[in-house]
Amino acid sequence: MEIVEVSDYDAMSVEAANLVMRHVVQNPSLVLGLATGATPIGTYKYIVDHYKKNRISFKNVHTVNLDEYIGLETTHQNSYATYMKENLFNHLDIPIEQTHIPNGKTSNLIEECERYEELIQSLGGIDLQLLGIGLNGHIGFNEPGVSFDSKTNVIKLAQSTQSANSQYFKDDTKVPTHAITMGISTIMTSKRIVLLVSGKEKADILYKIIYGELNKNVPASILKKHPNVRIIADLEALSVLKEKRSVNS
Ligand code: GLP
């Protein structure tokens, strides 16, 4: 895993956006895997700025999102479909039918998981996958304990994840308890992965991913096995790692 150290959240966002744009320039038909949460919002903002300034077209790009809550209409203000439209898709020239997000409102979840897996395969796999990380080491919504062989599946969200997500549910909507997520093995088949990590609260988990053992209770620890992972982390996120390194040196 290659670690790129940046000063802060803004620098992480610029670095990640520039990397995505380089890939779109090199491959205008890029299959781009996307994440949600607070972490990539700045990256999306800089992608939009870059797109507007340099008119780099997304019209042949396909995107596949990692996950979606079960039970929310796509138009719900807290759905990841809405998040993606507001933060990215509405501001680019990408045709909306080339943007893919699991359907959390389907009546047949098993079929939806299979459809999503097949869709990714039919696109030729993911060229570049952006990832954030949950405080418990989850990627997508693959919570601790999930099998490293998992494909797109339905997952019960950990209590800590539900609490972390509750800040976004300001109306009376209950925080969803389940989600559809790409599986760990789906994510691992991406040709290249970029993990974004910012803030002090992620410092412990980042240290565990980099120096801890491969452990399914820390789902992101599997990234060590991937041949092409770049971690873009800011100084706060790297603080525990740096502290331990200086104690050991
Ligand atoms: C959610 C998303 C993940 C994301 C994680 C971290 O659980 N499903 O894809 O990485 O949150 O969120 P944040 O970036 O807000 O810390």
Side-chain angles (χ1 to χ4, degrees), residues 204-230:
D204 276 320
I205 195 68
L206 181 58
Y207 176 78
K208 273 193 201 151
I209 294 164
I210 296 173
Y211 285 109
E213 312 249 290
L214 195 66
N215 176 352
K216 63 181 189 165
N217 289 321
V218 183
S221 64
I222 191 68
L223 296 176
K224 276 203 263 285
K225 292 275 179 200
H226 193 283
N228 202 342
V229 174
R230 181 175 297 185

Side-chain angles (χ1 to χ4, degrees), residues 1 30-31 67 79 88 171:
M1 293 192 290
L30 192 75
V31 179
D67 45 19
S79 73
L88 192 65
D171 62 3

